[in-house]
Each structure stands twice: as structure tokens, then as C-alpha cells.
Amino acid sequence: MRGLLLRSLSGRREPAPVPLADTGIDALYHHRRLHLVRLALLLVDDLPTAEDVVQDAFAALYRRHGDRLAELDDPEAYVRRSVVNGARSVLRRRRTVRAYVPERAGHAPPPDEDVLLREEHREVLGALRLLTPRQREVLVLRYWSNLTEAQIADTLGLSRGAVKSTASRALDALARRLEAPR
């Protein structure tokens, strides 16, 4: 793989220099862009990032010198150096991002919080998981969300009597499962 890379690198010819009569930034961009993108790609190993580095280098050149490249000794060298410096900046930022792992935001409980709960809470949660979905919904709405029977009936689309009987059966089933020998 390395030999292939070296052959492909050495097999490329340097593009012909930009004619001095054509020293505008447009001409420089059209003559050197692909070469500079290849250079940046070899440095950052990511095509979209390499293209961004080259674009940033040309944007900086335009901001500083406009279309007056005659005031620079070697505009190609200037842009090439800007590309290399931009690639170095990208690599530094990547290294910093990999080194820094931010703390978790907020106070969200971990997904396996029930492992951290006391033994009796784990038993209750385990028994609650064994109830039917409707029984579990009614108990959670009643005891966790503190809803009234009327609010639970409205939320689940049940009658108030169905909520009462479901809650009663769910509590009995929960009690049986918690009292069962382990």
C-alpha cells in the first residue's frame, strides 16, 4: 500500500507554472486548485476538509491582496504555504477534539439506573415489568405521575370504573409477585 502511494505521488508531475501575464487570482485558482486539493488531501486524509482548506487559503489570499497578486514574489508559494498551515490547523483541532471528552450534560440518569437502586426498588421495577401493559400504564400514571382516576381515564381512553378495577388488579398482581418466594 505504501509503495503504491509513493509511486502515485512520485508519478504526478508538478503543474506548469502560471504564466506571468495571467497572474490574477482566478487564473491561479484554475491552474492550481486541483494540485492544492491533492496536497491538502494527503495532509488531512479527508476530501471535503481538504477542499475547505484550499478554499480558505484562496479566500485569505483574496482578502489580503484582492486581485493584485503582482505585489507577491510567488503567489503559488503563498497559497501552498497557506494550504499547509490550514491543514496543520485542522490536524491540531482534530487532536484537541480527540483529547477532550466533555462531561455529560444535564442530570439524566444512566440507562441502567435500576442497577444502582436499592434492592427493594429493583424488585418493584422487575415486578412492574411483568404486569400487562394496561396495568403498568395505570399504575405509572397514578403513582408516578400523580394523576387522578379521571385524568388517567381521559389519557388512556377508558372509563373511570375501568381505571379503578385495572388499578386494583394491578396492585394485587404486584403484591403477589413481590411476596412470591425467590
Side-chain angles (χ1 to χ4, degrees):
M1 181 68 181
R2 189 173 184 187
L4 177 63
L5 178 63
L6 291 175
R7 275 194 307 271
S8 66
L9 288 175
S10 63
R12 294 198 195 285
R13 279 200 224 157
E14 183 73 17
V18 177
L20 290 177
D22 234 358
T23 57
I25 195 165
D26 289 339
L28 180 63
Y29 180 81
H30 289 296
H31 283 81
R32 295 294 184 204
R33 183 184 59 85
L34 289 177
H35 172 71
L36 293 170
V37 168
R38 285 186 198 116
L39 170 67
L41 179 60
L42 290 170
L43 296 174
V44 299
D45 199 32
D46 175 24
L47 182 60
T49 304
E51 290 172 339
D52 289 345
V53 165
V54 172
Q55 289 292 59
D56 291 344
F58 275 101
L61 174 67
Y62 186 76
R63 276 192 310 273
R64 286 185 167 225
H65 300 284
D67 210 23
R68 304 172 315 276
L69 298 184
E71 44 189 65
L72 291 173
D73 290 335
D74 190 356
E76 294 175 41
Y78 182 90
V79 174
R80 189 178 317 111
R81 183 170 296 139
S82 294
V83 168
V84 170
N85 289 339
R88 286 177 181 162
S89 293
V90 166
L91 294 174
R92 268 193 307 272
R93 281 191 300 272
R94 283 183 186 170
R95 193 170 39 247
T96 301
V97 166
R98 279 193 300 263
Y100 175 72
V101 178
E103 290 185 29
R104 293 179 69 175
H107 300 296
D112 54 340
E113 181 183 84
D114 61 333
V115 172
L116 304 173
L117 296 174
R118 292 193 329 226
E119 182 66 29
E120 60 267 11
H121 292 153
R122 281 188 289 195
E123 290 176 16
V124 170
L125 289 174
L128 190 64
R129 288 184 190 115
L130 297 175
L131 297 176
T132 66
R134 180 183 281 182
Q135 289 175 338
R136 190 170 41 245
E137 291 167 351
V138 168
L139 288 184
V140 167
L141 290 173
R142 185 171 187 180
Y143 295 104
W144 178 260
S145 298
N146 294 321
L147 297 182
T148 64
E149 290 173 352
Q151 291 171 322
I152 295 170
D154 189 46
T155 301
L156 297 179
L158 302 172
S159 69
R160 202 167 160 201
V163 169
K164 279 183 176 182
S165 63
T166 303
S168 176
R169 283 191 216 113
L171 287 174
D172 288 343
L174 199 59
R176 279 194 309 274
R177 284 191 172 88
L178 290 173
E179 291 172 0
R182 293 168 196 111

